[in-house]
Amino acid sequence: MGMNRREALKGGLSLGAMAAAAFGAGKTLAWTKRRDTRPNMIVIMGDDIGYSDLGAYGGDVDTPNLDAMAGRSVRFDNFYNMSRCCPSRAALITGRYPHRVNMTGNGTSLSLDTPTVAEQLRAGGYATTMVGKWHLTEATPLPDPAEHLKWVNHQAYQDRDFGDRRTYPAARGFDYHWGIIWGVCDYYDPFSLVENFTPVRDVPKDFYLTDAISDHAVEQVNKLGKGDKPFMMYLAYTAAHWPLMAPENVIQKYLPRFEDGWDAMRKRRYDRQVKLGLVDPKTNPLPPLDDDYANNSRTAWEALTPEHRAEQVRKMATHAAMIDVMDQGIGRVIQALKDSGAYDNTVVMFLIDNGASPEVMIKPGYDRPSETRDGRKVGYGEYPGGIGTELNQTGIGSYWASAANTPFHWWKAESYQGGIHTPFFISWPAALKGRAVKPVAQGTHIIDITPTLLDLAGITPSQKGAPMDGKSFAGALTGKKLPGPRPFFFEHYGARAVIDGQWKLVSLAPHGPGQPYGKWALYDLVGDRTETRDLAARHPEIAARLAGEWQGWAKSVGLKLRAEPPAPGGFSD
């Protein structure tokens, strides 16, 4: 698995060793004392965070640590994910489209025949560790719904695993894992929490999951940062995935920032993005809020009752507070790297699994509790009460999600930019010191992370299992040439897209199981990144070519195709 190459790199030709020489022989850093001077690597993933939530991307949330990291990083301005939690995670740790590795939606586990990046890095001499959300193990409910709810409520102990333990992180290449196996949980009393294979049955009274994830990440950095091996950490936060839960003092800070509503927030963020140079208003106008999926809230902000307005403000303030606490934790992780001497030779990546989510849950079941451990009822719906505490299981809803994804259309689970376009930036102080760091305009994809990590480690990717789809973009950090442009493909529950150069062909998710695909729409991403002008009717030949590319890809990954819509040629009018 690339061992000969690794040994050669350890002899002094690794990217880490070259960075050490560039940094200066007089420094006495921990990693320069190691025989193996390859870089440490940390991949930080946020959850259901909008494109514009971070301050560096025009947001209202205080994210000083991520903003500072973005300022000293290589920024990728056209980076894409797979539009939803588990497919994006599968693509990240395998380098394959999720369809190739059995991760197309809920109710499946990551296939065992394709190696993860952690398995390959560990075999190549790395210490590997994971903290946070896994969501790649099939979550099987108990047959009796009432007994299942008692289990999820922590009211009835079940002497069973949370899924097939062969699919747990600790069985898929990670030396250590602390976090949740399933995808959703109470932040104050999480379900499916494990340490390696052992369930964590109880947590302290002052427990808050985001802080606990950060604390465990700091512990791992303190342990591994001074070790003999380079290390790779996958730090997968749950923030800001629903349910909306955050410390009250942090929520209070944000209440005044969102009192003027979602339209004002969207405009405010767009104006900041223009000033930051992220958006050119001449070619990328701000689309209107998307509200087709609104849950019991199909009226303008001004038409809401004062009581409902206050609840909506509290929703967005809690979402912001969840991100704020995550950023504070990331700051502690960075400080731990500095304290251990590992900071300069650590590659740190930050991305998000998908855009902000419009989801508003209306009832308990599956991974959603009906009561707290001590029997208090949990609220659901648009206005559940108890937002910020463990007495709610709601999300921000479609209007706030659309505003959080400024300047883009749509949201999580859709293949429009609001669903698949994520901020992505990489810091590596030793290698980037003294270099002019320019944004990378070329398109890159979450499937490219595994081959990049392996490239940085000097490990040839394994040929086992499904064919590798990703390409290494390590050249963006080392000054070498990037792989040539290529098409990127997307599909989740029938929402689909293909991006090939300047052109993007996309359709919304079907209206239900068994329904035809939505109509194709065509956008020129060079002149219209915000997807406001559908050009399918003007360029039917381009739309037809891209539709053929998507169909060919879908068949190659084993996707069962739906019927096309009855419109002529399957394209929008």
Side-chain angles (χ1 to χ4, degrees), residues 37 71 120 221 226 256 264 267 280 406 439 528 543:
T37 57
Q120 296 173 78
V221 169
K226 299 178 182 179
K267 178 64 165 60
D280 182 351
T406 302
D528 184 22

Side-chain angles (χ1 to χ4, degrees), residues 262-263 266 285-291 398-399 402-403 406-411 530-532:
W262 38 64
D263 292 295
R266 186 164 169 84
L286 178 64
L289 279 171
D290 295 302
D291 60 3
S398 58
Y399 289 108
S402 182
T406 302
F408 299 129
H409 263 310
W410 302 108
W411 39 58
T530 52
E531 297 171 316
T532 63

Side-chain angles (χ1 to χ4, degrees), residues 139-158 160-162 180 182-193 200-201 242-243 245 363-376 378 380 390 393:
T140 306
L142 296 176
D144 184 326
E147 289 301 311
H148 180 75
L149 271 180
K150 290 181 181 178
W151 185 37
V152 175
N153 294 351
H154 303 285
Q155 295 171 343
Y157 171 76
Q158 292 288 333
R160 59 175 299 193
D161 292 324
F162 298 110
I180 61 169
W182 291 19
V184 177
C185 69
D186 177 335
Y187 282 73
Y188 299 108
D189 193 7
F191 182 72
S192 81
L193 184 62
V200 178
R201 301 287 181 196
W242 59 268
M245 298 180 182
K363 63 181 180 180
Y366 187 58
D367 51 8
R368 304 179 300 278
S370 60
E371 297 179 347
T372 63
R373 188 186 294 250
D374 57 6
R376 291 171 293 158
V378 174
Y380 284 83
E390 60 179 330
Q393 281 279 325

Side-chain angles (χ1 to χ4, degrees), residues 43-46 79 92 349-353 422-424 446 449:
V43 179
I44 305 175
M45 177 176 274
F79 187 89
L92 186 152
M349 302 180 179
F350 179 82
L351 73 159
I352 302 163
D353 60 353
T422 172
F424 182 62
I446 198 167
I449 289 179

